[in-house]
Amino acid sequence: MDSGTRQLVRDRAGHRCEYCRLHQGHEPFYRFHIEHIIAKMHGGSDDPNNLALACHRCNERKGTNLSGRDSQSLKIVRLFDPRRQSWSRHFRFEGPRIVGATQAGRATVAALAMNSADRVELRAELLAEGVSPIA
């Protein structure tokens, strides 16, 4: 993948994780990853339509997974796809917590551990400083 493609992905995402919405500036010690939504091992490519910006935590937790379990229906469903789905349709913030609003949203919140204690604490600190997690 060339540097132009990497920059396109970073700029398109506004330098925010396309899963948990954390801004790169709030994690200065970890460079965000260019993530394959569909992993190469599953036939994904380096096409920009298959790439997303992900913080190290979301990228590590997602790995090559394409699906997860919805906590309400207990069904196995596809994870959120930031190229084809709207974040605000699948997730919402309740204070510093991210809540899944759909089966894909709930499965993604669980699979990526979006509400781990350290992430909730970081988002709470940002909110206390007046920093919006979405903006």
Side-chain angles (χ1 to χ4, degrees), residues 4-123:
T5 300
R6 285 198 237 352
Q7 193 60 47
L8 175 127
V9 173
R10 291 180 191 290
D11 291 344
R12 177 179 63 196
H15 300 272
R16 287 189 176 276
C17 175
E18 295 188 71
Y19 296 99
C20 74
R21 306 300 296 148
L22 188 65
H23 192 277
Q24 174 68 72
H26 299 130
E27 287 256 308
F29 301 110
Y30 296 101
R31 185 163 172 85
F32 284 11
H33 301 224
I34 306 301
E35 193 263 330
H36 290 84
I37 298 165
I38 298 175
K40 286 187 169 186
M41 71 178 290
H42 296 304
S45 71
D46 287 342
D47 183 282
N49 289 323
N50 186 47
L51 301 174
L53 188 63
C55 68
H56 71 284
R57 170 68 64 81
C58 287
N59 188 48
E60 178 182 277
R61 295 287 307 203
K62 182 177 173 291
T64 62
N65 291 322
L66 297 174
S67 60
R69 187 172 218 164
D70 172 26
S71 59
Q72 287 184 12
S73 70
L74 303 180
K75 292 180 181 177
I76 302 297
V77 298
R78 282 195 64 126
L79 295 177
F80 171 71
D81 180 336
R83 292 286 66 75
R84 291 169 184 78
Q85 297 173 309
S86 165
W87 195 94
S88 60
R89 180 176 182 278
H90 293 277
F91 307 97
R92 69 178 180 278
F93 279 97
E94 288 185 1
R97 297 180 59 77
I98 297 174
V99 176
T102 63
Q103 289 182 339
R106 289 186 295 270
T108 303
V109 167
L112 277 57
M114 289 178 163
N115 291 315
S116 62
D118 62 326
R119 288 303 195 200
V120 171
E121 181 180 350
L122 176 57
R123 287 192 296 265

